[in-house]
Amino acid sequence: MSPALVFGFGLLILVLFGWYFATDSAARKRWLGLVLTVLLVAFCVQEIMPPDKKIRLGLDLKGGTSFLLKLVREPGAEPINNDLLERAVEVIRKRVDSLGVADPDIAPQGKDRILVQIAGLSNEAVDQAKEQLQRVAKLEFAIVRPDSDTVLAQIASGQAIMPPGTVVKTLVDEQPNGTKTEERILINRRADMGGEHVRKAFAFFDQQGYGVSLEFDAEGAKLFDALAARNVNNRLAILLDGEVLSAPVLRTANFNGRAQITGNFSEKEARDLASALENPLRVPVQIEEIRSVSPTLGADSIKSGVNSALLGLALVCIFVLIVYRLPGIVALFGLAVNLLLLVGMMAMFGFVLTLPGIAGIILTIGMAVDANVLIYERLREEMAAGKSLPAALNGAYDKAFSAIFDANLTTLITSIILFIEATGTVKGFAVTLTLGIIASMFSALLCTRTVFRWWVEKGGLKSISMLNVIGATSFDFLGKRRLAIGVSLFLILGSIAIFALRGANNFGIDFRGGDLLTVDSKVALSVTDVRKATDELGLGESVVIQNEFQGQRALLSVRSPEGTADKIFAQIQKDYPERGVTKVGQDTVGARIGLEFAKRSAWALVLGMIGILIYVTLRFEFSFALGAVVAVIHDIIITIGAFALFGGQLSLVMVGAILTIAGYSINDTIVVFDRIREALKTGEGGSIQQIMNRAINETLGRTILTGGTTLLSVLALYIFGGAVLRDFAFAILAGILIGTYSSVFVAAPVVLWWSRFRGKSIRREVLDAEALKAGRTAA
């Protein structure tokens, strides 16, 4: 679809949405809801159907290697700006293209980094790509002093000293028979010409063998001719990153922007030199992170991810149908629309599906039912009050709207912050979670309501029945607040103690830096076997070896200091040649980038807490915001403690899990707060403590049911999601249980204590805030 048609379609959808919410006619809302649903579903279907619009798979699913490169500013050099970064991207694109790989993804990351993703690289090709990328650095031309040999001989014999402003370089010449010779040459320390004026360079073959031809831009042609005119028959050293690549003789004074370099080049040497000449950078490049996944492991990840998604979906469907019966069918229809919209939006915007992205979809399956549960529990209350089905439906959707909107928006805040601060595959999780929230709000609030309107008004639906899993309760939750705070303090202190005792073992290579090697074998390898190999290399206790399972495959992961993975793999192959050992994955993260990841993750959590605090304060009152934030911090600390207790290591994916826990925790808390605010606004009798207890009891069924649906989908992820996502799923499972507890036993007591501490009435604050809003609306 052309951009003009997409823009026109988007404008039409906005107009229809505005009309839908502006009209008071039930018949018009019914038709507008139907048109909006059909148009959006049709649009998403046409986005998914064309072969060129298929969702692209990330490297962790299709196999491949990603390199995170950093442009390093040297002292006194120009600052790294957007122009330099874009130039570097194009330079590296040409370098990668020279490897002959298909469809590489190369994009800037932040202000001074470049992410290079290449699918389907063999282990040998990874090493070649690494070498090429590391060689992308500063290209320079420097004249070799005519008296170089004489001066160097005099220096060696003690008859002379090094001339000022000069430096000795070594030129290594590899002969066709494989022998290497070294020549020491003397050049000026300050280069005579930079390499940024080389416009084109390519290898050629003639009767004399392989050579390199190069062309300069207009300014470069003038500079090169002027340099050649002063140095005819002298040698010109070509330096890349300070190392001499070649030192040909300048045979003429006039090159007219073209030159040829000949010598005893092999084909590889000629192509590498041409690549270096054509793609110079004005700043050095260092590789900060390498992540590699074999295609077979990627295929297993897809299989395990799809299996866990299907199982989670099946469990949620069965659960919803058993509890809600006919309304459950409507909820499942909304869930189908939700997933279709999610996949369609991902295809439309060209998002890349990663393994954490699959986790986001699975989590969306559970959370999408949350809004429907909230509506249906309100519907149960409305019907119990004796209202007719149409009136009960209208009341349920209207009363549930604010809780659904606030709960999803707070989760959206955390997912957007995660997207902004995240790197690599974690962005895929943030994208699917963000789009899933948007799609679930549409499907729950508009799509399912439209289905009910048609079914009631045109389909003859007169009554419905639902299973009452959690009956009416009147438990004194706040009366147990002192016991609850004791339990929470014990869990918090225990979590901190466990985390402190484990120390650096809490952090994976994403934060500490180092290598992570994953190997498979035809004949099983044990941890003891691999430990023997690493001990032979003298690595000792710095290496952590674990059994992992990806689907039905038993793998071994080896965490070791940076730069040791290749040595370990070679040693394992040497010690056990009969085992058929293969490398299925390898990650390398530099210590500096690991520290930066840790800082960004902490900053993401801080921003998430600030965002939640501000939003809840604006929508409710500061007392409620404080209770919500304390509950979220409580949940995060205990979840991390539980994760540490079972030997987990924090990674970037785990940061996504922790922020998701924050969003889920606030989701539950907001629903309770919304019911408390409603009771205060309507002037229900009783003390604040009694009103809070009543609100918690009234929402208890919803709290347990929504926790149950999300728990089912994440449980499937934990069982079938594979080694990569098992830690993620474990954290979410723990977070759901702890978040359900905190929304009842932590958040509300904090609100009560804070209001008493300040000596102000929450009821009065809520009523004053509503009066202020009403005044603004009237004005």
Side-chain angles (χ1 to χ4, degrees):
M1 188 179 290
S2 69
L5 287 176
V6 172
F7 176 78
F9 179 80
L11 194 61
L12 174 63
I13 293 295
L14 284 176
V15 171
L16 291 176
F17 264 117
W19 193 5
Y20 176 88
F21 287 109
T23 184
D24 293 326
S25 169
R28 196 173 291 125
K29 280 184 179 290
R30 187 174 70 244
W31 278 104
L32 286 171
L34 177 62
V35 171
L36 279 167
T37 301
V38 171
L39 284 177
L40 286 173
V41 168
F43 182 79
C44 289
V45 168
Q46 72 86 28
E47 285 293 324
I48 299 169
M49 292 304 291
D52 60 333
K53 284 296 184 78
K54 289 182 179 178
I55 296 176
R56 294 182 297 157
L57 299 179
L59 295 185
D60 55 353
L61 293 178
K62 66 181 177 182
T65 304
S66 69
F67 303 87
L68 184 63
L69 313 177
K70 179 179 176 63
L71 305 184
V72 182
R73 182 188 179 189
E74 295 181 318
E78 63 178 309
I80 297 172
N81 51 35
N82 288 335
D83 291 339
L84 187 59
L85 184 61
E86 290 297 329
R87 175 180 170 83
V89 169
E90 292 306 314
V91 167
I92 291 172
R93 190 181 306 281
K94 292 179 181 179
R95 279 296 179 91
V96 173
D97 288 343
S98 71
L99 297 172
V101 298
D103 299 325
D105 290 322
I106 304 170
Q109 298 281 303
K111 297 179 180 179
D112 59 358
R113 289 186 173 88
I114 301 169
L115 181 65
V116 180
Q117 295 182 315
I118 308 173
L121 286 183
S122 64
N123 293 333
E124 295 75 14
V126 169
D127 294 335
Q128 183 183 359
K130 181 179 177 181
E131 179 183 353
Q132 280 281 39
L133 292 172
Q134 284 180 317
R135 292 183 64 219
V136 177
K138 184 160 53 177
L139 178 70
E140 299 170 309
F141 299 94
I143 295 296
V144 180
R145 287 184 54 133
D147 56 351
S148 173
D149 293 339
T150 302
V151 173
L152 289 176
Q154 292 175 345
I155 293 173
S157 64
Q159 299 175 5
I161 61 173
M162 181 74 68
T166 62
V167 63
V168 178
K169 292 289 184 180
T170 301
L171 172 62
V172 179
D173 185 17
E174 185 173 354
Q175 303 298 321
N177 61 7
T179 61
K180 294 182 180 180
T181 60
E182 293 186 356
E183 177 188 6
R184 298 174 78 236
I185 59 177
L186 188 65
I187 65 173
N188 292 328
R189 186 179 298 275
R190 184 182 180 88
D192 295 282
M193 179 177 171
E196 65 271 15
H197 298 294
V198 176
R199 186 178 65 183
K200 186 177 181 181
F202 55 90
F204 68 87
F205 181 81
D206 59 16
Q207 294 179 346
Q208 298 180 355
Y210 283 98
V212 177
S213 179
L214 66 153
E215 298 179 5
F216 296 96
D217 59 22
E219 183 180 355
K222 295 178 183 178
L223 293 173
F224 194 78
D225 281 353
L227 179 64
R230 298 192 302 269
N231 297 279
V232 176
N233 293 325
N234 287 338
R235 296 171 70 187
L236 178 68
I238 303 171
L239 297 97
L240 182 67
D241 221 4
E243 295 184 4
V244 180
L245 301 179
S246 182
V249 177
L250 295 169
R251 300 294 185 186
T252 180
N254 190 3
F255 286 86
N256 294 319
R258 289 183 172 84
Q260 287 187 345
I261 305 171
T262 57
N264 294 321
F265 292 122
S266 66
E267 180 183 5
K268 182 179 184 302
E269 287 176 326
R271 293 189 182 280
D272 287 349
L273 178 58
S275 180
L277 288 168
E278 186 177 20
N279 306 307
L281 276 178
R282 287 171 281 174
V283 291
V285 170
Q286 71 180 36
I287 298 178
E288 290 193 320
E289 176 187 292
I290 304 175
R291 298 185 185 273
S292 185
V293 177
S294 73
T296 55
L297 188 59
D300 284 348
S301 297
I302 295 176
K303 182 179 179 181
S304 59
V306 170
N307 286 342
S308 57
L310 292 176
L311 178 61
L313 181 61
L315 291 174
V316 170
C317 290
I318 293 171
F319 182 85
V320 170
L321 287 175
I322 290 174
V323 175
Y324 292 112
R325 300 170 183 169
L326 281 179
I329 297 174
V330 179
L332 295 184
F333 174 77
L335 179 59
V337 171
N338 176 23
L339 292 176
L340 187 59
L341 293 178
L342 173 58
V343 175
M345 285 189 289
M346 292 181 67
M348 179 175 63
F349 293 114
F351 289 125
V352 178
L353 182 62
T354 62
L355 199 54
I358 292 179
I361 293 175
I362 295 169
L363 188 60
T364 297
I365 292 173
M367 295 181 69
V369 183
D370 186 18
N372 293 106
V373 171
L374 186 58
I375 292 167
Y376 292 166
E377 291 304 305
R378 282 285 193 174
L379 178 60
R380 192 195 306 275
E381 294 173 8
E382 297 291 301
M383 293 173 61
K387 294 183 179 180
S388 64
L389 182 57
L393 283 168
N394 287 332
Y397 276 95
D398 291 343
K399 291 181 178 179
F401 176 81
S402 62
I404 294 172
F405 181 81
D406 289 332
N408 279 280
L409 203 57
T410 49
T411 307
L412 193 62
I413 289 172
T414 59
S415 64
I416 291 174
I417 290 172
L418 179 61
F419 176 80
I420 294 172
E421 292 297 320
T423 59
T425 58
V426 184
K427 281 187 181 291
F429 170 76
V431 166
T432 52
L433 186 60
T434 301
L435 295 180
I437 291 169
I438 296 171
S440 66
M441 288 185 68
F442 169 81
S443 63
L445 294 175
L446 191 146
C447 178
T448 59
R449 191 169 189 177
T450 299
V451 172
F452 272 122
R453 281 186 170 125
W454 280 97
W455 202 351
V456 170
E457 297 173 22
K458 299 297 180 180
L461 182 64
K462 300 297 183 183
S463 64
I464 56 175
S465 63
M466 296 179 285
L467 183 64
N468 192 3
V469 179
I470 308 295
T473 60
S474 58
F475 188 78
D476 184 12
F477 290 99
L478 288 176
K480 303 294 187 290
R481 61 185 181 275
R482 289 180 177 82
L483 174 62
I485 198 65
V487 172
S488 292
L489 285 174
F490 173 78
L491 293 175
I492 289 172
L493 294 175
S495 298
I496 294 173
I498 292 167
F499 193 84
L501 286 173
R502 291 193 71 209
N505 290 329
N506 289 298
F507 301 96
I509 67 165
D510 287 343
F511 297 129
R512 285 194 297 173
D515 289 358
L516 174 60
L517 173 68
T518 306
V519 296
D520 192 8
S521 58
K522 294 180 180 178
V523 179
L525 276 173
S526 68
V527 172
T528 304
D529 294 333
V530 179
R531 175 65 65 187
K532 176 185 175 185
T534 59
D535 287 345
E536 290 175 4
L537 294 172
L539 296 174
E541 295 302 319
S542 63
V543 178
V544 178
I545 308 166
Q546 291 179 321
N547 289 300
E548 292 187 354
F549 293 91
Q550 184 69 36
Q552 300 300 316
R553 301 175 66 185
L555 308 174
L556 274 173
S557 68
V558 185
R559 292 173 174 82
S560 61
E562 186 179 353
T564 59
D566 290 333
K567 297 177 183 177
I568 293 172
F569 181 66
Q571 188 67 40
I572 294 172
Q573 286 188 313
K574 178 183 175 182
D575 290 351
Y576 308 103
E578 75 287 353
R579 303 285 185 97
V581 182
T582 56
K583 184 192 299 183
V584 295
Q586 181 176 332
D587 295 351
T588 298
V589 180
R592 182 178 299 177
I593 190 67
L595 180 61
E596 185 172 329
F597 285 158
K599 290 180 179 177
R600 291 182 66 175
S601 300
W603 182 236
L605 287 173
V606 171
L607 287 178
M609 295 303 100
I610 293 174
I612 291 171
L613 184 68
I614 292 173
Y615 182 79
V616 178
T617 299
L618 293 175
R619 286 291 293 166
F620 294 83
E621 293 300 327
F622 180 76
S623 300
F624 292 97
L626 182 64
V629 170
V630 168
V632 170
I633 295 173
H634 165 279
D635 297 346
I636 290 174
I637 291 174
I638 296 177
T639 300
I640 293 176
F643 188 65
L645 179 63
F646 287 92
Q649 288 192 319
L650 295 176
S651 63
L652 288 177
V653 174
M654 282 301 301
V655 174
I658 292 169
L659 275 173
T660 303
I661 291 165
Y664 190 86
S665 173
I666 198 69
N667 194 311
D668 260 351
T669 304
I670 286 294
V671 173
V672 177
F673 285 176
D674 185 74
R675 186 62 67 95
I676 295 172
R677 179 177 58 179
E678 180 182 326
L680 295 173
K681 284 164 53 178
T682 55
E684 286 188 17
S687 66
I688 298 299
Q689 181 171 331
Q690 290 173 333
I691 291 174
M692 286 185 169
N693 263 325
R694 196 155 52 238
I696 294 171
N697 279 285
E698 288 172 352
T699 57
L700 187 61
R702 177 264 173 201
T703 299
I704 294 174
L705 289 173
T706 54
T709 54
T710 311
L711 202 66
L712 287 174
S713 58
V714 179
L715 187 62
L717 181 64
Y718 179 78
I719 296 172
F720 295 99
V724 179
L725 293 179
R726 188 164 288 118
D727 285 349
F728 174 90
F730 175 83
I732 297 295
L733 287 171
I736 291 172
L737 296 174
I738 298 164
T740 302
Y741 161 83
S742 70
S743 64
V744 174
F745 287 104
V746 176
V750 169
V751 175
L752 183 63
W753 281 328
W754 181 255
S755 64
R756 289 179 176 177
F757 174 76
R758 292 194 309 161
K760 294 185 178 180
S761 168
I762 298 179
R763 188 195 301 271
R764 175 48 52 196
E765 288 183 359
V766 170
L767 293 176
D768 288 346
E770 291 300 317
L772 182 60
K773 292 176 185 177
R776 287 175 180 172
T777 305

